[in-house]
Structure formats: C-alpha cells, structure tokens
Amino acid sequence: MNLSRSSLLLATLVLLMLLSACRPRRVTARVPAARIGATEEGVASWYGEPYHGRRAANGELFDMEQFTAAHPSHPFETWVRVRLLATRKETEVRITDRGPFVKGRVIDLSRAAARDIDLLRAGTGNVRLTVIDPPKSYLRGRQFTVQVSSVPAKARAETLQRQLTPRYKDVSIRHRSANPKGGHAEAWRVLVGREDSPGGAHRTLERLLEKFPHAFIVGWNVE
C-alpha cells in the first residue's frame, strides 16, 4: 500500500514537471537598437549598378548617388560614420539595406559614399564604423513610422489593420506598385505610428517586435 502511494506520488510529480515544462513562456523580443558611439572594424565595399533604381531591404528605391549603405544587422535609419583607415577620410551614411554577405565585410556603401572616401578604384578597404546621431539636417521636416507587414492582398492588410487599431495610434495601409527593375512585387504595407524622430518610432517598434519580429522603422514618405 505504501509502495503504491509512493508510486502515485512520484507519477504526479513527474506529470507536474512535464506540464510546467510545456507551459508557454512569455518571450520578450530584443530591440536591435544601435548604441550611439558603438564601433566596429572590418572591410567595406560598395555597390551601384545594377542595383540602382531597385528597392533596398527597407523598401526605398536605392539611389547610388545618395549617402546610404547596407549593413548586416544595424536597424534601418541608423546613421554610421565610416572612416577609411588607410587615409582617415570619413563619410556619413544611413542604413537602408542588408549586406554585404561576404565574410569579413562589415558594410556595403553606395557609390556616392565610396567616392567620398576614395574607395571607388580599390573597391574594398579597411574601415572603422561609428554609430552617430542622425544629422539635424536629415531630421528636419521628416516623420517616421513602423512597417509591420507587407502582404500581396489588400484584404489581408485590412484584417491586420483592424487587429492593430484598438492598441495603436495611426494604423494605416499603403499600396506599393511592383517595381519593374526588381526588388518588390505589388504589395499592401501596414504601417503603425507617425513620429517626428526615429527615437519616437523606435518606442513603437519595441511594443510591436514581440508579435512582429520583422517589423522595422522607415520614413513616413517612403513609397
């Protein structure tokens, strides 16, 4: 009788442990914020044609004559000072794209940015990256939002908009036509918030990332 009770007690404990292990845990999403002043060293490269006019990863049309860059992990709208170590020449770029996907390379500059530090002819060079505050000239008159999703059907976008509206301000849908040069098909984008700075949009992003881990900050006027 005692053995039976002990076996029953043991079985109960094991069951409780299994149930506890299977209980869903609350996962807190990490916001990939770039700390001002953070540095990184590695090899820089640059890109232009045939990507000029195609959409970058943040949805903007890539213009190789603007001071932008691709980085593997920095959030979009992060600004970075790039110093070519051999000459100490510097340029400042905004992260709008993902890449480069070559081991050892830390940033892929637009042609304009590469020209600014005399990197065009060499093609690659050792650099130091430093995260900086966005220039005031860039922030003046701009607003920022968070893109939660981009879907091919308007009905799906409207469903997500209805789900988000009770919890968030300024939930909107924006149509994007297919780009004939490549990069994106026709889509309906779901946007949350309308802020005067990337920092304000970042606070909205923090709330959204747990359920929408691929959400990101983008300029309000980006089509």
Side-chain angles (χ1 to χ4, degrees):
M1 187 70 174
N2 289 337
L3 181 60
S4 178
R5 287 179 178 176
S6 298
S7 299
L8 180 61
L9 179 60
L10 179 60
T12 302
L13 289 173
V14 170
L15 179 61
L16 289 173
M17 290 174 64
L18 289 173
L19 290 174
S20 176
C22 294
R23 186 179 303 156
R25 298 178 182 178
R26 181 180 178 83
V27 178
T28 301
R30 291 185 60 193
V31 180
R35 179 176 58 82
I36 302 299
T39 61
E40 180 182 11
E41 291 190 5
V43 177
S45 51
W46 67 274
Y47 67 130
E49 298 287 0
Y51 301 99
H52 181 72
R54 297 183 183 181
R55 292 201 182 276
N58 75 340
E60 292 184 29
L61 291 178
F62 172 61
D63 183 345
M64 62 186 180
E65 296 305 328
Q66 297 297 315
F67 285 77
T68 61
H71 188 275
S73 59
H74 279 329
F76 301 135
E77 293 300 325
T78 298
W79 279 80
V80 176
R81 179 179 297 117
V82 183
R83 171 180 286 187
L84 187 61
L85 297 180
T87 63
R88 302 181 69 83
K89 289 190 175 183
E90 294 181 341
T91 191
E92 296 179 358
V93 294
R94 179 171 58 97
I95 304 302
T96 61
D97 210 352
R98 287 290 171 242
F101 302 106
V102 178
K103 186 176 181 180
R105 295 189 187 181
V106 295
I107 198 165
D108 219 358
L109 302 172
S110 66
R111 188 171 72 174
R115 184 190 301 116
D116 202 37
I117 56 174
D118 292 337
L119 190 66
L120 284 182
R121 179 170 294 183
T124 60
N126 293 315
V127 297
R128 177 181 296 118
L129 310 182
T130 305
V131 178
I132 61 174
D133 286 313
K136 291 181 180 179
S137 58
Y138 173 72
L139 294 178
R140 192 175 299 119
R142 294 182 187 273
Q143 291 185 310
F144 303 87
T145 186
V146 176
Q147 181 170 312
V148 170
S149 184
S150 178
V151 294
K154 184 179 181 181
R156 288 175 57 187
E158 289 173 337
T159 297
L160 183 54
Q161 182 186 34
R162 287 193 294 270
Q163 293 171 351
L164 291 168
T165 296
R167 296 187 59 189
Y168 300 95
K169 292 175 58 178
D170 298 318
V171 182
S172 59
I173 296 175
R174 192 172 298 170
H175 177 256
R176 172 176 283 160
S177 301
N179 181 15
K181 290 191 175 183
H184 280 82
E186 181 182 38
W188 296 88
R189 303 160 60 216
V190 182
L191 309 174
V192 177
R194 188 170 181 176
E195 304 290 343
D196 292 329
S197 70
H202 188 80
R203 287 188 286 274
T204 301
L205 179 63
E206 286 180 320
R207 297 175 59 197
L208 287 161
L209 276 179
E210 184 173 342
K211 289 188 177 180
F212 302 95
H214 300 296
F216 56 85
I217 297 170
V218 68
W220 173 256
N221 292 325
V222 172
E223 294 296 340

